């Protein structure tokens, strides 16, 4: 899919194709998708939560906070502030610092 050009931290996939780094991929998953179900370009909220819970299991809360800060920087670069706010609310809810309203 066509999108923003690769940024530092994205991974070369094949030739000129790049795969988004985790923080960017999470932000992209909060973009509005016109497709629903198996044809959707985004993961479901439970799938995103599972991914974030995996970060906590492996890297503890500090790792999740680091992911959030990296996502904040990327969101500024790619003009994805709305998507960052959604991700931030989910991370805050997982860390029990704020109620989730997603």
């Amino acid at each position: 899919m066509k999108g923003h050009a690769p940024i530092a931290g994205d991974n070369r996939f094949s030739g000129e194709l790049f795969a988004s780094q985790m923080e960017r991929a999470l932000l992209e998953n909060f973009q509005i998708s016109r497709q629903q179900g198996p044809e959707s370009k985004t993961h479901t909220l439970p799938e995103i939560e599972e991914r974030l819970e995996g970060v906590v299991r492996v890297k503890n809360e500090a790792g999740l906070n680091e992911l959030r800060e990296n996502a904040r920087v990327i969101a500024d670069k790619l003009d994805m502030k709305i998507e960052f706010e959604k991700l931030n609310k989910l991370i805050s809810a997982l860390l029990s610092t704020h109620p989730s309203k997603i």
Side-chain angles (χ1 to χ4, degrees), residues 67-102:
L67 182 147
R68 176 179 11 206
E69 290 310 310
N70 291 340
R72 183 186 320 271
V73 171
I74 291 169
D76 285 341
K77 286 182 185 177
L78 301 179
D79 194 28
M80 298 179 87
K81 291 175 181 69
I82 292 170
E83 292 82 356
F84 174 76
E85 288 307 316
K86 292 176 185 177
L87 177 61
N88 186 42
K89 285 180 184 178
L90 182 56
I91 290 172
S92 294
L94 287 172
L95 295 175
S96 299
T97 56
H98 294 86
S100 174
K101 291 189 176 155
I102 298 174

Side-chain angles (χ1 to χ4, degrees), residues 22-77:
M22 181 186 281
E23 294 87 347
R24 180 176 178 173
L26 290 167
L27 290 168
E28 290 172 342
N29 268 280
F30 283 107
Q31 290 177 314
I32 296 173
S33 173
R34 295 174 195 220
Q35 295 288 340
Q36 299 290 323
E39 299 300 317
S40 175
K41 73 172 192 166
T42 60
H43 291 289
T44 64
L45 190 56
E47 290 170 324
I48 296 169
E49 288 174 347
E50 186 176 316
R51 194 87 181 260
L52 294 172
E53 288 169 355
V55 171
V56 172
R57 283 192 301 273
V58 173
K59 298 182 178 181
N60 301 312
E61 288 184 12
L64 192 55
N65 281 316
E66 180 181 347
L67 182 147
R68 176 179 11 206
E69 290 310 310
N70 291 340
R72 183 186 320 271
V73 171
I74 291 169
D76 285 341
K77 286 182 185 177

